[in-house]
Amino acid sequence: MLAPYLVIALGGSLGAVARYTTVMTIQSLCGLRFPYGTLVVNTLGAFIGGFLLHLFSGRFSANEFWRLFLFTGFLGAYTTFSSFAAENLMLFRDGQWLKLSINILMNNVGTLITVFLGALLAEKILVGINQS
């Protein structure tokens, strides 16, 4: 197996590029008045994480390569709560209380809901595989 650091670096570089692409696309579609891009990467990343975690803990067993590549590397770089925190600080400093509250609520509740939905989808797929 490749050295763990190389596996993480590879996944992380792909996750960072995917994050940048997603954020720029969402912000160009929705505008800059609210941090929609960060909200999308956090909730989508939580969904993907829930899906893969459930899928790998079910029928498939994730070997170390895929765990490091996908979770530590790709999703670690794709989702970011450092941007979330910085954007909330800016909303706080600007006195944007409603946007601040919505952003905190949507990122936290949204990621909890989407990690659950990702696991549910993986379960449906596993049931379908087992029935074939």
Side-chain angles (χ1 to χ4, degrees), residues 112-124:
L112 291 173
I113 290 169
T114 54
V115 75
F116 179 73
L117 291 174
L120 282 177
L121 178 60
E123 179 64 24
K124 297 279 185 196

Side-chain angles (χ1 to χ4, degrees), residues 20-131:
Y20 177 78
T21 303
T22 303
V23 168
M24 291 296 105
T25 301
I26 297 300
Q27 292 301 120
S28 71
L29 294 172
C30 299
L32 300 173
R33 299 180 62 86
F34 186 82
Y36 294 107
T38 301
L39 175 61
V40 168
V41 296
N42 284 338
T43 53
L44 182 58
F47 177 84
I48 294 167
F51 177 83
L52 293 175
L53 185 64
H54 191 80
L55 192 65
F56 286 159
S57 65
R59 178 179 170 162
F60 305 101
S61 66
N63 66 29
E64 186 178 18
F65 173 88
W66 290 110
R67 183 179 53 78
L68 293 174
F69 176 81
L70 292 170
F71 290 98
T72 307
F74 185 85
L75 288 176
Y78 185 73
T79 61
T80 175
F81 271 82
S82 57
S83 291
F84 169 72
E87 289 164 348
N88 282 330
L89 178 61
M90 288 185 278
L91 291 170
F92 176 81
R93 285 184 178 166
D94 292 344
Q96 298 288 323
W97 308 113
L98 180 60
K99 288 182 180 180
L100 173 66
S101 300
I102 290 170
N103 197 38
I104 290 169
L105 181 68
M106 291 297 295
N107 271 284
N108 288 285
V109 173
T111 55
L112 291 173
I113 290 169
T114 54
V115 75
F116 179 73
L117 291 174
L120 282 177
L121 178 60
E123 179 64 24
K124 297 279 185 196
I125 290 170
L126 291 172
V127 167
I129 290 171
N130 290 333
Q131 289 177 351

Side-chain angles (χ1 to χ4, degrees), residues 7-21:
V7 173
I8 294 166
L10 178 61
S13 63
L14 294 173
V17 171
R19 178 184 181 278
Y20 177 78
T21 303

